[in-house]
Amino acid sequence: MNYRLKVVSIQLGGLLALLGLWWFFTDVRPIWPKYVLPDPGAVWTEMKFGLFGKSPDGKLTMSILNSLRRVAIGFLIAVGSGLVVGVILSVSKSLRDVVSGYLTAVQSVPSIAFVPLAILFFGLNERAVLAVVILEGFIPVALSVAGALGNVPPALRTAGRTLGAKGIGLVTRVMLPASLPNLVGGLRTAWSFSWRALIGAELLTTNPGLGQLLEIGRNTANVALVFTTIITVGVVGALFDVLIRSLESRIRYNYGLEGES
Protein backbone atom coordinates (compact mmCIF):
# COMPACT_ATOMS: atom_id res chain seq x y z
CA MET A 1 0.00 0.00 0.00
CA ASN A 2 1.54 3.32 -1.06
CA TYR A 3 1.67 6.31 1.24
CA ARG A 4 -1.22 8.26 -0.33
CA LEU A 5 -3.57 5.25 -0.25
CA LYS A 6 -2.63 4.66 3.38
CA VAL A 7 -3.45 8.26 4.31
CA VAL A 8 -6.82 8.11 2.48
CA SER A 9 -7.64 4.81 4.21
CA ILE A 10 -6.91 6.27 7.64
CA GLN A 11 -8.98 9.37 6.83
CA LEU A 12 -11.94 7.24 5.69
CA GLY A 13 -11.64 5.13 8.83
CA GLY A 14 -11.68 8.27 10.98
CA LEU A 15 -14.74 9.57 9.13
CA LEU A 16 -16.62 6.31 9.63
CA ALA A 17 -15.70 6.30 13.31
CA LEU A 18 -16.95 9.88 13.66
CA LEU A 19 -20.23 9.01 11.93
CA GLY A 20 -20.60 5.98 14.20
CA LEU A 21 -20.12 8.11 17.32
CA TRP A 22 -22.55 10.68 15.96
CA TRP A 23 -25.20 8.00 15.34
CA PHE A 24 -24.58 6.39 18.74
CA PHE A 25 -24.99 9.62 20.70
CA THR A 26 -28.09 10.74 18.77
CA ASP A 27 -30.02 7.50 18.18
CA VAL A 28 -28.79 4.88 20.70
CA ARG A 29 -27.75 6.96 23.71
CA PRO A 30 -28.90 10.49 22.99
CA ILE A 31 -27.12 13.12 25.05
CA TRP A 32 -28.84 16.24 23.71
CA PRO A 33 -32.34 16.65 22.25
CA LYS A 34 -32.49 16.44 18.45
CA TYR A 35 -33.34 20.10 18.07
CA VAL A 36 -29.81 20.71 19.42
CA LEU A 37 -27.89 17.78 17.90
CA PRO A 38 -29.73 16.19 14.92
CA ASP A 39 -29.03 12.60 13.88
CA PRO A 40 -27.04 11.85 10.68
CA GLY A 41 -30.23 10.80 8.86
CA ALA A 42 -31.87 14.20 9.39
CA VAL A 43 -28.79 16.01 8.14
CA TRP A 44 -28.55 13.71 5.11
CA THR A 45 -32.22 14.36 4.30
CA GLU A 46 -31.67 18.12 4.55
CA MET A 47 -28.58 17.88 2.35
CA LYS A 48 -30.33 15.69 -0.23
CA PHE A 49 -33.24 18.10 -0.61
CA GLY A 50 -30.87 21.06 -0.59
CA LEU A 51 -28.73 19.63 -3.38
CA PHE A 52 -31.26 17.88 -5.57
CA GLY A 53 -34.67 19.27 -4.60
CA LYS A 54 -36.56 21.92 -6.49
CA SER A 55 -36.69 25.50 -5.26
CA PRO A 56 -36.83 26.36 -2.40
CA ASP A 57 -35.50 22.93 -1.34
CA GLY A 58 -32.63 23.31 -3.81
CA LYS A 59 -31.36 26.38 -1.98
CA LEU A 60 -28.13 24.65 -0.95
CA THR A 61 -27.07 24.22 -4.58
CA MET A 62 -27.77 27.87 -5.38
CA SER A 63 -25.99 28.98 -2.21
CA ILE A 64 -22.87 26.98 -3.14
CA LEU A 65 -22.83 28.51 -6.62
CA ASN A 66 -23.34 32.04 -5.29
CA SER A 67 -20.56 31.65 -2.72
CA LEU A 68 -18.15 30.14 -5.26
CA ARG A 69 -18.83 32.98 -7.70
CA ARG A 70 -18.11 35.60 -5.05
CA VAL A 71 -14.96 33.95 -3.73
CA ALA A 72 -13.66 33.41 -7.28
CA ILE A 73 -14.07 37.10 -8.14
CA GLY A 74 -12.64 38.28 -4.83
CA PHE A 75 -9.76 35.81 -4.90
CA LEU A 76 -8.70 36.77 -8.44
CA ILE A 77 -8.74 40.48 -7.56
CA ALA A 78 -6.80 39.74 -4.37
CA VAL A 79 -4.17 37.75 -6.26
CA GLY A 80 -3.76 40.46 -8.92
CA SER A 81 -3.47 43.35 -6.46
CA GLY A 82 -1.36 41.33 -4.02
CA LEU A 83 1.05 40.43 -6.80
CA VAL A 84 1.57 44.08 -7.73
CA VAL A 85 2.04 45.22 -4.13
CA GLY A 86 4.32 42.24 -3.38
CA VAL A 87 6.58 43.11 -6.33
CA ILE A 88 6.76 46.74 -5.15
CA LEU A 89 7.65 45.64 -1.61
CA SER A 90 10.35 43.31 -2.90
CA VAL A 91 12.26 46.27 -4.41
CA SER A 92 13.32 47.65 -1.03
CA LYS A 93 14.03 45.64 2.12
CA SER A 94 13.40 48.66 4.36
CA LEU A 95 10.06 49.35 2.65
CA ARG A 96 9.16 45.67 2.99
CA ASP A 97 10.04 45.63 6.68
CA VAL A 98 7.93 48.72 7.41
CA VAL A 99 4.84 47.87 5.35
CA SER A 100 4.87 44.17 6.24
CA GLY A 101 4.37 45.13 9.88
CA TYR A 102 1.17 47.02 9.01
CA LEU A 103 -0.10 44.22 6.78
CA THR A 104 0.59 41.62 9.47
CA ALA A 105 -1.29 43.76 12.01
CA VAL A 106 -4.32 44.01 9.69
CA GLN A 107 -4.11 40.29 8.95
CA SER A 108 -4.31 39.49 12.66
CA VAL A 109 -7.75 41.14 12.87
CA PRO A 110 -10.54 38.56 12.35
CA SER A 111 -12.30 39.06 9.03
CA ILE A 112 -15.69 39.29 10.73
CA ALA A 113 -14.52 42.56 12.33
CA PHE A 114 -14.25 44.22 8.90
CA VAL A 115 -17.81 43.36 7.87
CA PRO A 116 -19.53 46.28 9.67
CA LEU A 117 -16.95 48.67 8.19
CA ALA A 118 -17.49 47.24 4.70
CA ILE A 119 -21.27 47.62 5.09
CA LEU A 120 -20.84 51.27 6.12
CA PHE A 121 -18.63 51.95 3.09
CA PHE A 122 -20.46 49.93 0.43
CA GLY A 123 -23.91 49.26 1.88
CA LEU A 124 -25.65 46.01 2.65
CA ASN A 125 -24.86 44.45 -0.72
CA GLU A 126 -22.49 42.17 -2.59
CA ARG A 127 -19.72 44.76 -2.81
CA ALA A 128 -19.36 44.68 0.97
CA VAL A 129 -18.84 40.90 0.86
CA LEU A 130 -16.31 41.19 -1.97
CA ALA A 131 -14.41 43.94 -0.12
CA VAL A 132 -13.88 41.67 2.89
CA VAL A 133 -12.88 38.70 0.70
CA ILE A 134 -10.39 40.81 -1.27
CA LEU A 135 -8.86 42.29 1.88
CA GLU A 136 -8.36 38.87 3.48
CA GLY A 137 -6.88 37.35 0.31
CA PHE A 138 -4.75 40.32 -0.69
CA ILE A 139 -2.48 40.43 2.38
CA PRO A 140 -1.21 36.79 2.27
CA VAL A 141 -0.50 37.13 -1.45
CA ALA A 142 1.37 40.44 -1.04
CA LEU A 143 3.46 39.13 1.85
CA SER A 144 4.28 35.82 0.16
CA VAL A 145 5.23 37.52 -3.12
CA ALA A 146 7.44 40.03 -1.33
CA GLY A 147 9.08 37.29 0.74
CA ALA A 148 9.53 34.91 -2.19
CA LEU A 149 11.05 37.55 -4.47
CA GLY A 150 13.32 38.74 -1.68
CA ASN A 151 14.67 35.20 -1.27
CA VAL A 152 15.55 34.66 -4.92
CA PRO A 153 19.28 33.77 -5.00
CA PRO A 154 21.40 36.78 -6.10
CA ALA A 155 23.15 34.53 -8.62
CA LEU A 156 19.89 34.14 -10.55
CA ARG A 157 19.36 37.91 -10.65
CA THR A 158 22.93 38.40 -11.86
CA ALA A 159 22.46 35.72 -14.51
CA GLY A 160 19.24 37.37 -15.67
CA ARG A 161 20.88 40.78 -15.96
CA THR A 162 23.81 39.23 -17.80
CA LEU A 163 21.36 37.79 -20.34
CA GLY A 164 19.78 41.21 -20.86
CA ALA A 165 16.76 41.12 -18.50
CA LYS A 166 16.17 44.27 -16.48
CA GLY A 167 13.39 46.16 -14.75
CA ILE A 168 9.97 44.53 -15.02
CA GLY A 169 11.43 41.99 -17.45
CA LEU A 170 13.81 40.75 -14.75
CA VAL A 171 10.86 40.32 -12.38
CA THR A 172 8.51 38.55 -14.81
CA ARG A 173 11.08 36.43 -16.66
CA VAL A 174 13.51 35.51 -13.89
CA MET A 175 12.38 36.28 -10.34
CA LEU A 176 8.71 35.25 -10.47
CA PRO A 177 9.42 31.91 -12.20
CA ALA A 178 12.24 31.24 -9.72
CA SER A 179 9.96 31.87 -6.73
CA LEU A 180 6.90 30.06 -8.10
CA PRO A 181 6.99 27.13 -5.59
CA ASN A 182 6.82 29.57 -2.65
CA LEU A 183 4.17 31.68 -4.36
CA VAL A 184 1.79 28.75 -4.73
CA GLY A 185 2.04 28.14 -0.99
CA GLY A 186 1.01 31.77 -0.46
CA LEU A 187 -1.93 31.31 -2.81
CA ARG A 188 -3.14 28.35 -0.75
CA THR A 189 -3.05 30.48 2.40
CA ALA A 190 -4.84 33.33 0.60
CA TRP A 191 -7.57 30.96 -0.60
CA SER A 192 -8.14 29.71 2.94
CA PHE A 193 -8.41 33.27 4.29
CA SER A 194 -10.73 34.34 1.46
CA TRP A 195 -13.06 31.38 1.90
CA ARG A 196 -13.43 31.90 5.63
CA ALA A 197 -13.90 35.65 5.17
CA LEU A 198 -16.63 35.00 2.60
CA ILE A 199 -18.68 32.84 4.96
CA GLY A 200 -18.32 35.37 7.77
CA ALA A 201 -19.33 38.28 5.53
CA GLU A 202 -22.34 36.43 4.09
CA LEU A 203 -23.42 35.62 7.62
CA LEU A 204 -23.94 39.30 8.42
CA THR A 205 -25.36 40.45 5.09
CA THR A 206 -28.50 39.58 3.16
CA ASN A 207 -26.78 38.15 0.09
CA PRO A 208 -27.81 34.55 -0.77
CA GLY A 209 -24.92 32.20 -0.05
CA LEU A 210 -23.67 29.59 2.38
CA GLY A 211 -23.15 32.14 5.13
CA GLN A 212 -26.69 33.44 4.73
CA LEU A 213 -27.95 29.85 4.76
CA LEU A 214 -26.38 29.43 8.20
CA GLU A 215 -28.27 32.52 9.35
CA ILE A 216 -31.55 31.16 7.92
CA GLY A 217 -31.00 27.88 9.77
CA ARG A 218 -30.41 29.76 13.02
CA ASN A 219 -33.45 32.02 12.60
CA THR A 220 -35.76 29.10 11.76
CA ALA A 221 -34.27 26.80 14.44
CA ASN A 222 -33.46 24.32 11.66
CA VAL A 223 -30.34 22.81 13.20
CA ALA A 224 -30.16 20.14 10.49
CA LEU A 225 -29.74 22.94 7.93
CA VAL A 226 -27.00 24.50 10.09
CA PHE A 227 -25.13 21.18 10.25
CA THR A 228 -25.64 20.63 6.52
CA THR A 229 -24.23 24.06 5.70
CA ILE A 230 -21.24 23.66 8.02
CA ILE A 231 -20.40 20.29 6.43
CA THR A 232 -20.77 21.79 2.94
CA VAL A 233 -18.48 24.72 3.79
CA GLY A 234 -15.86 22.30 5.10
CA VAL A 235 -16.08 19.94 2.12
CA VAL A 236 -15.92 22.70 -0.51
CA GLY A 237 -13.03 24.40 1.28
CA ALA A 238 -11.14 21.12 1.62
CA LEU A 239 -11.66 20.22 -2.05
CA PHE A 240 -10.16 23.49 -3.25
CA ASP A 241 -7.30 23.15 -0.77
CA VAL A 242 -6.54 19.69 -2.19
CA LEU A 243 -6.56 21.10 -5.73
CA ILE A 244 -4.12 23.90 -4.86
CA ARG A 245 -1.97 21.51 -2.81
CA SER A 246 -1.78 19.15 -5.82
CA LEU A 247 -0.72 22.07 -8.02
CA GLU A 248 1.92 23.02 -5.45
CA SER A 249 3.28 19.46 -5.33
CA ARG A 250 3.41 19.28 -9.12
CA ILE A 251 5.31 22.58 -9.35
CA ARG A 252 7.74 21.54 -6.59
CA TYR A 253 8.31 18.25 -8.43
CA ASN A 254 8.99 20.07 -11.69
CA TYR A 255 11.49 22.29 -9.87
CA GLY A 256 13.21 19.24 -8.40
CA LEU A 257 12.25 20.17 -4.82
CA GLU A 258 10.44 16.91 -4.04
CA GLY A 259 9.97 13.46 -5.53
CA GLU A 260 6.94 12.06 -7.34
CA SER A 261 4.22 11.18 -4.79
Side-chain angles (χ1 to χ4, degrees), residues 45-67 208-214 216-217 220 222 224-226 228-229 232:
T45 300
E46 185 69 40
M47 183 172 292
K48 190 171 57 175
F49 279 110
L51 288 174
F52 307 114
K54 295 180 181 179
S55 180
D57 290 330
K59 54 187 176 294
L60 181 59
T61 302
M62 294 307 300
S63 296
I64 293 172
L65 294 177
N66 281 330
S67 292
L210 289 171
Q212 186 55 210
L213 209 55
L214 281 172
I216 292 173
T220 58
N222 186 352
L225 177 60
V226 173
T228 297
T229 308
T232 303

Side-chain angles (χ1 to χ4, degrees), residues 57-134:
D57 290 330
K59 54 187 176 294
L60 181 59
T61 302
M62 294 307 300
S63 296
I64 293 172
L65 294 177
N66 281 330
S67 292
L68 287 178
R69 176 177 55 79
R70 289 193 192 100
V71 78
I73 295 172
F75 183 66
L76 288 176
I77 296 174
V79 170
S81 55
L83 186 62
V84 172
V85 172
V87 170
I88 294 173
L89 294 181
S90 70
V91 174
S92 168
K93 184 179 183 305
S94 56
L95 176 66
R96 185 166 68 247
D97 290 342
V98 171
V99 177
S100 295
Y102 290 112
L103 293 180
T104 303
V106 174
Q107 191 178 35
S108 65
V109 179
S111 60
I112 198 77
F114 291 111
V115 177
L117 194 61
I119 292 174
L120 288 174
F121 270 92
F122 300 104
L124 198 61
N125 53 45
E126 189 153 319
R127 286 185 297 170
V129 178
L130 285 176
V132 178
V133 173
I134 293 169

Side-chain angles (χ1 to χ4, degrees), residues 217-235:
R218 185 185 71 85
N219 289 335
T220 58
N222 186 352
V223 70
L225 177 60
V226 173
F227 270 74
T228 297
T229 308
I230 291 173
I231 292 171
T232 303
V233 170
V235 170

